[in-house]
Amino acid sequence: MNGDEYRAVLRRLTALDATAAAHRAEAVAWHEGRVAAADDAVRAADDAVREAAGAVRAAQRDLEEVDARAAGLWSDFVHRVGPAAERFGRTVPQPAVPRQRGELTTDDYLREVAAKIAYTPPARPLTGATTTVFAMFGVVGGLLGVAAHQLLRWAGTAAGGDWAAGLPVVALIALVLSPVVAVFAAKRVADRRGAELNAAAITTVLVSGLVTAGLLVAALGGG
């Protein structure tokens, strides 16, 4: 190998070494870039996981809040409706997806339910049949009052002594209060039927009760 050939070989080796060095540098740069990209992807994934975990916790808190509000609304509904609510179950019914209406949120649906539960329909006006029912309450109250009156007077007479003086007073009080007790009974019935127990209805119960009691006491010949 002469000198020219030797120099040519050296030039080729030098060129190959430079090419290899460039390839090595490119490979190192590519590797570092891939490592950096992988690190960025891992950090982004970690951030996404933390964000998702936070969203899950927030959703769980929202769910618990909605469940608590729903339980409170159900309790109010059962309190207002009474045993009739048991046809929907003894506990809060399972949640269902409501019919979607625009952009309504959970709060909107809960407020709507609360408004429906809080709504009190206007009392129905008194009819002739209702007035008759109230009058019958007064009559029954008067009958019970007379029965209690006669029983207490008999017990006082039979016992003698202080009882003979005290029980007739108690009997008179029971006789007078019996129409008042009938008013409370009529009020419960009126509430269940959605009727209004106004002053006229109360007067009907009291007058019918007092008249019944007075007539019976007069007929029995004792006061």
Side-chain angles (χ1 to χ4, degrees), residues 1 6 10 38-39 42 57 63-64 67 69 82 91 95 97 102 122 126 129 131 151 153 169-170 174 188 191 200 205:
M1 179 181 297
Y6 181 74
L10 287 179
D39 290 340
V42 170
R57 289 192 295 270
L63 176 61
E64 292 173 355
D67 286 343
R69 292 175 63 183
T91 58
V97 178
L126 293 179
T131 303
L151 180 61
R153 285 175 59 85
V169 177
V170 177
R188 291 179 61 87
D191 290 342
V205 177

Side-chain angles (χ1 to χ4, degrees), residues 170-210:
V170 177
L172 183 59
I173 294 174
L175 180 65
V176 174
L177 290 181
S178 58
V180 178
V181 176
V183 170
F184 286 102
K187 178 67 168 62
R188 291 179 61 87
V189 174
D191 290 342
R192 290 187 178 183
R193 299 181 62 178
E196 181 183 8
L197 190 68
N198 53 20
I202 294 174
T203 302
T204 299
V205 177
L206 291 176
V207 170
S208 59
L210 291 174

Side-chain angles (χ1 to χ4, degrees), residues 55-79:
V56 169
R57 289 192 295 270
Q60 184 64 34
R61 288 193 298 269
D62 291 342
L63 176 61
E64 292 173 355
E65 180 182 354
V66 170
D67 286 343
R69 292 175 63 183
L73 291 173
W74 175 255
S75 177
D76 293 341
F77 174 72
V78 172
H79 178 72

Side-chain angles (χ1 to χ4, degrees), residues 35 48 67 80 132 174 194:
V35 170
D67 286 343
R80 291 178 65 89
T132 302

Side-chain angles (χ1 to χ4, degrees), residues 7-24:
R7 285 190 292 274
V9 170
L10 287 179
R11 284 194 298 272
R12 291 181 62 186
L13 290 175
T14 301
L16 289 175
D17 184 64
T19 301
H23 288 167
R24 285 194 298 271

